[in-house]
Amino acid sequence: GLLFANYLQGALAFYNGDFTRSIAAFNVLSQSSQPWLKETAIYMQGRVFLNAAQQNAFDDIGYPSNDKVDLAALQAAESAFNRYLTAYPQGQYSASATGLLRRVYWLMNDQKRLAQAYAYWFGHPLSEANITSNQLVQEIDNKLLLSFSDTGSIDDPHLLAIIDLMLMRQRSSDDSRPPFTLAQLQAQQSRFAQQPELYTYLLGAYALYVEKDADKTLTLLPETADDTELDYLHFSQQTLRGFALESKELWAPAEQLWLKLLSRAKQPLQRQQLELALAMNYERSGKVTQVFAHNTVVKT
């Protein structure tokens, strides 16, 4: 009973921000022979160090400053969470410890390991995590994509592709970053070794949006065969072809492409996007009445 009382005292100190007293309590309890106390105390060691590391790091709005993070405490938190996951890979708090390690990497500004931690969930069921798919997307947006500083630190082809597409966006006049060059994109080819079609898509996107060379895009992205599965990547490739055709004001071939894709669309949101593309095609080619014709395929 005394050990459980000590745990409550350690937890109270933790929530009161008395991290010195809290870590002292959990250090003792981590040696306990009582299974729950031992496991929970080892997990809580990481929580204490993490809170101590970040307690002065955030401004009034909630943005962190890396130079205000207690790096020693942050490294201690990382060690504690790894120690917990080594001892309890399927433990009661393993999902939480894994998620908190992402926070450690974020506060360390270790974008390479943070990206690796996100990429892990692209190939594993989120049922093993304590986060939903929507929450994971939001976290990747907030913690990585909006603040990345070096594409060289991103190895996962999906995350790298997202960042590349962001770098291709039209810059505002006060954006001081150097332009994203074709040479930089070409230097990434080896990182897309397992996703060559995704890399080809990026080359096509660069040709259309940065080089303004629609013919190059159409050469890079040939029309798919009718029996090719219209997954999201092939769908995106063909959509890019449609945009390239329309940039050349080839409205009729683009219309035929949209109609052909409509007959094959099965994945969520594909049909809605194609109907919008077709409606915009008709509007821009002077045939807007076809959007509202009784036999129109534009239904959404």
Side-chain angles (χ1 to χ4, degrees), residues 79-98:
S79 296
F81 287 132
N82 282 326
R83 187 164 60 251
Y84 173 82
L85 289 168
T86 298
Y88 302 96
Q90 305 298 323
Q92 297 180 71
Y93 313 107
S94 58
S96 176
T98 300

Side-chain angles (χ1 to χ4, degrees), residues 8 10 27 30-31 92 97 99-100 102 116 140 156 160 162 172 174 179 209 214 233 238-239 242 244 249 256-257 300:
L8 292 176
N27 284 344
S30 68
Q31 306 301 318
Q92 297 180 71
L100 290 171
R102 295 198 303 272
Q116 289 171 343
I140 293 172
D156 178 75
L160 185 57
I162 295 169
S172 60
D174 60 348
Y209 294 121
L233 177 56
Q238 295 309 300
T239 299
E249 298 189 1
Q256 292 308 307
L257 177 58
T300 302

Side-chain angles (χ1 to χ4, degrees), residues 70-200:
D70 185 331
L71 186 57
L74 198 58
Q75 291 170 334
E78 179 186 2
S79 296
F81 287 132
N82 282 326
R83 187 164 60 251
Y84 173 82
L85 289 168
T86 298
Y88 302 96
Q90 305 298 323
Q92 297 180 71
Y93 313 107
S94 58
S96 176
T98 300
L100 290 171
L101 273 174
R102 295 198 303 272
R103 189 170 184 84
V104 168
Y105 303 150
W106 175 56
L107 291 169
M108 285 182 172
N109 198 30
D110 188 338
Q111 295 180 338
K112 187 177 185 68
R113 287 198 293 172
L114 183 60
Q116 289 171 343
Y118 290 136
Y120 173 86
W121 293 114
F122 295 163
H124 293 81
L126 271 178
S127 58
E128 298 174 6
N130 60 346
I131 192 171
T132 67
S133 56
N134 284 345
Q135 289 170 332
L136 181 65
V137 168
Q138 198 71 43
E139 185 182 323
I140 293 172
D141 245 2
N142 294 335
K143 299 293 195 296
L144 180 67
L145 298 180
L146 296 182
S147 61
F148 79 94
S149 56
D150 177 19
T151 55
S153 64
I154 310 297
D155 292 322
D156 178 75
H158 296 98
L159 289 172
L160 185 57
I162 295 169
I163 291 172
D164 286 344
L165 290 169
M166 292 170 64
L167 290 171
M168 292 180 203
R169 290 174 180 166
Q170 186 172 353
R171 304 285 182 86
S172 60
S173 58
D174 60 348
D175 192 333
S176 60
R177 292 176 299 168
F180 182 54
T181 67
L182 180 60
Q184 287 176 292
L185 180 58
Q186 290 171 332
Q188 298 174 2
Q189 184 172 3
S190 62
R191 281 182 273 172
F192 289 95
Q194 303 302 316
Q195 296 279 345
E197 287 188 290
L198 179 57
Y199 180 68
T200 302

Side-chain angles (χ1 to χ4, degrees), residues 196-258:
E197 287 188 290
L198 179 57
Y199 180 68
T200 302
Y201 171 81
L202 292 173
L203 291 173
Y206 192 93
L208 182 62
Y209 294 121
V210 182
E211 297 177 311
K212 311 299 181 185
D213 189 343
D215 289 324
K216 184 177 179 181
T217 298
L218 292 169
T219 300
L220 285 163
L221 302 176
E223 195 166 352
T224 60
D226 291 344
D227 58 351
T228 301
E229 181 185 355
L230 200 60
D231 57 21
Y232 284 117
L233 177 56
H234 289 102
F235 177 78
S236 296
Q237 288 178 334
Q238 295 309 300
T239 299
L240 193 62
R241 278 184 54 82
F243 293 157
L245 290 169
E246 291 184 341
S247 75
K248 292 165 59 69
E249 298 189 1
L250 297 174
W251 305 111
E255 175 192 0
Q256 292 308 307
L257 177 58
W258 300 138

